[in-house]
Structures are given as C-alpha cells and as structure tokens.
Amino acid sequence: MQLLLLSNSTNQGEEYLGWPREILSRFIKKNNIRSCLFVPYAGVTVSWDDYTNRVSDVFGMWGCQVQSVHTVSDPVLSVNKAECIVVGGGNTFRLVQMMHETGIMAAIREKALAGTPFIGWSAGSNVACPTLCTTNDMPIIQPSSFKTLNLIPFQINPHYLDANPEGHGGETREQRINEFQALNTDIVVVGLREATALQVDNNILNLLGNRSMRLFVPGKEPVELQPGNEVSFLLKD
Amino acid sequence: MQLLLLSNSTNQGEEYLGWPREILSRFIKKNNIRSCLFVPYAGVTVSWDDYTNRVSDVFGMWGCQVQSVHTVSDPVLSVNKAECIVVGGGNTFRLVQMMHETGIMAAIREKALAGTPFIGWSAGSNVACPTLCTTNDMPIIQPSSFKTLNLIPFQINPHYLDANPEGHGGETREQRINEFQALNTDIVVVGLREATALQVDNNILNLLGNRSMRLFVPGKEPVELQPGNEVSFLLKD
C-alpha cells in the first residue's frame, strides 16, 4: 500500500495546501501519478465544483490532472479505473455518509489494498482508519455506518491539539481519546498534530513534518514519538 | 412541559454543579420534586455508581433523593414511575446509544410531554433536542439512531464557544453550526454558553444566567439574545 495521510490541508494564515507541498510532490513523483480521482464529499459549505478547482490548481503544479467523483456517472467504476485516490477534508460525517451511499467506500478499500496510491487530509485521513470514531467534527448528518476504509489498524485523530481555550470547561482532546479507549479497549490512537503526516510505504510507516505525534495505547501512558522514530510496529494488527 | 436545560454542569475551577445551584434549587422547589431518576449513561471514564453519588450529594442538599436508571431491573418501568428525570452530561454518543438500547428514549419523551419535570446538562440538554447533531463530543460509539427526545423543536449547542485556541486551523463552533445548517436548512440552533440554561415552562422559554445566547436561524445572520429577551417564539415549530 501507498498511503499519504495528512493531518490538515492548510496552516492558519498560509495558502491552500501550502505546508505539505514538498511532501505531496515527492509522493506524486515517486508513484509516477499523472491523474487522480478526487473525493470532495467532505465539503459542506463549499460547492464540490469549487473544492475540486482549488485542489486541481495545486495538483496541476505537478502535472497531475484532477477529476472529481461527483462529476462522473458511475463513481465505483471511476474508482476502479483511478491511478490515485485523493480524499479531501471537511466534515467527516458527510464524507462517510456519501462514501457509503455511493458505494465507493468498499471500492476504494479494494483499490488501495491492491496498491493504488491514496492521499487524504483531515477527514480524508480519518477515513483510512477502521472507523470515523476519532474525528473532531460535528455529526451534522447520520451515515449508515461509522465503519470506514480500515486501511491501517489504528485510529488517527487529525488536528491533534494539546490545550483548550482558556476558561473553557469542555474536554481536552486527550480526555476525548481516553473516552474512546474506555469503550474501545484494543484500538490504538495517534494524535496527529497539524503540519504533520503519516506515510505508509508497504510495511513501513513514517511520521513526516517537524512535530511529534502523540501515541495512545489503551491502558498505557501516552507517549511522544518524533519524526524519524521507528513507528512501523503500528501497522501490525 | 417543565424542562431545565443547562449548558454545562461545572465551570472550570468551581465545585461540581456549582454555578447552577440556585437555578436547580428553584426548579426543584417550584415543581415540588422529592425524588428523581438519574440517567448516568453519558459517563464514560467515570463509573455510573460514582457519577450517581456525585449527583446525589448535590441534589440531596434540597432533600431530593436520586436513584440511577443503571441500578434498576426495568429501566422503562422506572422512567414511567419517576417524579423527575435527570440526564447528566458526558459523551452524547454513549448516552444516546444507551438510551435507545434500553428503550428509555421513547419512555422519557412520553413522560416529559405529559408534564414530568426534566433536567439535563450538557449531553443531557442535547438529547432534549430533535437529534444529537449539534453535540461537540467525539463519536466514540455508534448509536442506532441520531434521533433524540425531540422535546424542543430546535437544536442546542452546549458549551458554546466563540474562539478557537490561537494558531489552530480547525473550524470554529460557528462554522460547524453553519455546516449543520447547510445540510439541515430548516433547523434553528441555539449556541448556549457555559453558565447559562434554557428553561421551558409550558409555552414559555427563558434564558437563565448572565450571558447571552447566540441564535442561528438558517439563511440569516446569527443574533445575540440576552437573558430577559423574549425567546418563547423558538418553541413554535
């Protein structure tokens, strides 16, 4: 498998898909990708056309053509023919609801397992996990199932954040992940901070970017792992 | 109907159920409540016994006995016999999953519509709405349905928050509510700030506390409503 799972598309105040350009460029070049099928379904307050155009502008810089799955008559067939699958961020519940409804959830899983490169950011990285259960998004619509692509055996919490706004009594992200693991006692969670990514190259997992990730193994104290640390053990079930 | 819907149980750094004591005391006295059935299912990292004890300690100050629904053999029967229903906060998904699974969702709706007083905070206020769709919680478990008690015709976003932590690129609460209304174009949302509550006294709705609430009507600019402002129109479908 060839997966590139970005925590977020864009750092605050920077241009769209700004921070991961070198990472994306390298991944696209290495896998010799000249076209990709884009999944814009996580977009809610942006039209899917506009969303596709924004992504196309960036991927075009590397000579990579972008077609969106919302413009084709047979989404599953388009997945089956795709050279690369790209799943954008937005609302995870909307994304998962549409991926199930159109049948592309199962089709993308099969394709990615067969070696077709997969790129996701934010909600798009979350769907590479077993379920959507570690999303930060609001459940604005009910998907038929919380199950997702299950390409990696652990959960990513994208946009992982250490602090709460001052004076606010809500749960911290770590408390939320602890709650998840109280009910899901055998699932590892990776808190993936903004401007970092996980790359899967067959049996090798790498953390990319300049910040550590926070690893939550049920029943153990969370630990910080740095880029360059050996993390491939997380790919074993 | 007699509903008391608190945004949150506890302000940061204060004692448990500290800020709403006068509001709770008045509601309990007015409705002559001497016992209540507590729903602790939103508790995930706290045991339901411990959770019940904490609530019992506070409600005991007003001579109000607390029995928890998790300790009874027939939850629906206990709901049907209850003098008052109290639903505590925690994880909304866990709460809703258990309320459906035990059958108390339908039973509590019927009881509250028939006039039995209902008190909720945080997740417990969220379930008084048509759905769980405006919760801030992580979807740590899949409930059989997102539908909830539907006692009021609008959605509450509890712990409503204006700002994001500095330097963080995630959505603001207002953006999340905009996303909800992009897919749910006829549902009003109330952003209920911490240390405030909504009280329903038959056809009268009042905002309690010292802060305004933020009203999101689909297609309109959000507005701030102060305690004392006329908000009962929100109870009309």
Side-chain angles (χ1 to χ4, degrees), chain A residues 12 136 142 146 167-168 176, chain B residues 12 136 142 146 167-168 176:
Chain A
Q12 215 173 30
N136 309 304
Q142 182 176 354
F146 280 13
H168 187 65
R176 289 167 187 267
Chain B
Q12 217 174 30
N136 309 304
Q142 182 175 356
F146 279 14
H168 187 66
R176 289 166 187 268

Side-chain angles (χ1 to χ4, degrees), chain B residues 204-221:
Chain B
I204 309 294
L205 179 69
N206 271 305
L207 173 63
L208 309 179
N210 300 313
R211 304 170 75 186
S212 62
M213 70 186 206
R214 195 159 177 84
L215 178 67
F216 300 86
V217 175
K220 295 192 181 172
E221 281 298 302

Side-chain angles (χ1 to χ4, degrees), chain A residues 10-151:
Chain A
T10 311
N11 294 337
Q12 215 173 30
E14 296 182 8
E15 60 185 336
Y16 189 60
L17 283 169
W19 79 266
R21 293 216 174 158
E22 203 187 307
I23 291 172
L24 283 165
S25 163
R26 241 184 297 135
F27 186 83
I28 286 168
K29 207 167 171 184
K30 171 181 175 290
N31 289 290
N32 194 26
I33 300 166
R34 273 163 304 181
S35 70
C36 62
L37 184 70
F38 179 58
V39 178
Y41 294 144
V44 175
T45 48
V46 60
S47 81
W48 293 338
D49 282 346
D50 288 350
Y51 195 179
T52 306
N53 288 338
R54 290 178 79 183
V55 171
S56 193
D57 285 348
V58 177
F59 278 63
M61 298 191 308
W62 306 303
C64 182
Q65 283 203 308
V66 175
Q67 183 180 42
S68 174
V69 73
H70 82 283
T71 62
V72 304
S73 57
D74 187 337
V76 170
L77 184 68
S78 294
V79 166
N80 291 342
K81 286 164 141 186
E83 210 185 319
C84 172
I85 309 284
V86 178
V87 183
N91 184 282
T92 309
F93 290 88
R94 177 61 161 159
L95 173 62
V96 172
Q97 176 246 327
M98 287 299 298
M99 286 178 76
H100 281 301
E101 196 172 297
T102 55
I104 65 171
M105 188 71 82
I108 293 178
R109 174 175 160 79
E110 210 172 308
K111 275 288 275 187
L113 286 174
T116 299
F118 175 100
I119 299 170
W121 54 86
S122 191
S125 294
N126 212 137
V127 294
C129 306
T131 68
L132 63 67
C133 291
T134 51
T135 180
N136 309 304
D137 295 338
M138 193 173 265
I140 59 174
I141 195 163
Q142 182 176 354
S144 61
S145 169
F146 280 13
K147 289 189 181 166
T148 50
L149 294 167
N150 195 22
L151 297 174

